[in-house]
Amino acid sequence: MANTAALVLDLPDPSATARLGEALAGAVAGLDEAGRVIGLEGSLGAGKTSLARAFILAMGYSEPVRSPTYTLVEPYEGGVADIFHLDLYRLADPEELEFLGIRDLYRPGALMLVEWPEMGAGVLPGLDLGIRLERQDTGRRARVEARTPAGRELVTSLKSDPLSKEYLVSY
């Protein structure tokens, strides 16, 4: 995609992955009220849930953040934004998202944070931002890629965050 905004970060330890979640929360807080979809991609153990947990906590939620591995969706409502954390790893068919009420989750003022978004292809709303995490030595490498104009705003915000100066590999 010639019009794509992206950046690559080397995250040497779990605290750096959490820092990316916090920076992303700061970037999202500056967006308008439209619904947003952020995809978290990568293999098992790549740090998707850790990133999601740090993001949700940075958005002001103090309750325990649980992995939606078996429930498929965990709602965090009533804060800065309503957040729906989805883990589609165990989804047998994308059409199952209709039974979860996916259309009700995608609304102004709400944000979907989706692990394994490829499992919902064709039913899941398009991603504004895709974050691919890969294990690397003791840390992770994150590729953050905009897929919509709102996603480009998020990438631009992340590029100006001190996180980028510390962990940026390329953009």
Side-chain angles (χ1 to χ4, degrees):
M1 224 179 197
N3 218 3
T4 299
L7 62 133
V8 177
L9 303 162
D10 276 345
L11 308 170
D13 54 40
S15 66
T17 301
R19 178 68 187 92
L20 175 56
E22 293 163 1
L24 183 60
V28 166
L31 290 180
D32 62 27
E33 290 296 311
R36 298 286 176 243
V37 183
I38 298 172
L40 302 176
E41 304 163 331
S43 63
L44 288 170
K48 297 179 296 295
T49 301
S50 295
L51 179 82
R53 182 173 290 115
F55 173 84
I56 292 165
L57 291 172
M59 290 292 285
Y61 294 90
S62 58
E63 60 195 77
V65 176
R66 292 179 285 283
S67 172
T69 300
Y70 294 101
T71 59
L72 299 182
V73 64
E74 285 289 336
Y76 298 90
E77 298 178 276
V80 174
D82 291 344
I83 300 171
F84 299 98
H85 180 194
L86 290 81
D87 184 334
L88 305 184
Y89 181 73
R90 298 187 186 286
L91 199 68
D93 185 294
E95 292 298 320
E96 289 178 45
L97 289 172
E98 295 294 347
F99 297 110
L100 288 174
I102 193 74
R103 294 183 198 284
D104 295 331
L105 304 181
Y106 186 67
R107 62 179 189 257
L111 185 132
M112 279 194 274
L113 197 57
V114 186
E115 296 184 41
W116 303 94
E118 64 275 13
M119 300 298 285
V123 177
L124 186 68
L127 300 180
D128 291 296
L129 192 71
I131 302 175
R132 173 163 293 284
L133 294 164
E134 297 174 356
R135 284 182 275 184
Q136 180 174 299
D137 299 323
T138 59
R140 308 281 184 264
R141 175 166 277 188
R143 177 173 172 76
V144 182
E145 182 178 359
R147 304 201 180 154
T148 66
R152 280 192 285 284
E153 288 180 46
L154 290 171
V155 169
T156 298
S157 181
L158 287 172
K159 283 180 183 175
S160 66
D161 189 279
L163 168 94
S164 291
K165 292 171 184 61
E166 193 170 346
Y167 302 120
L168 185 67
V169 174
S170 68
Y171 59 88

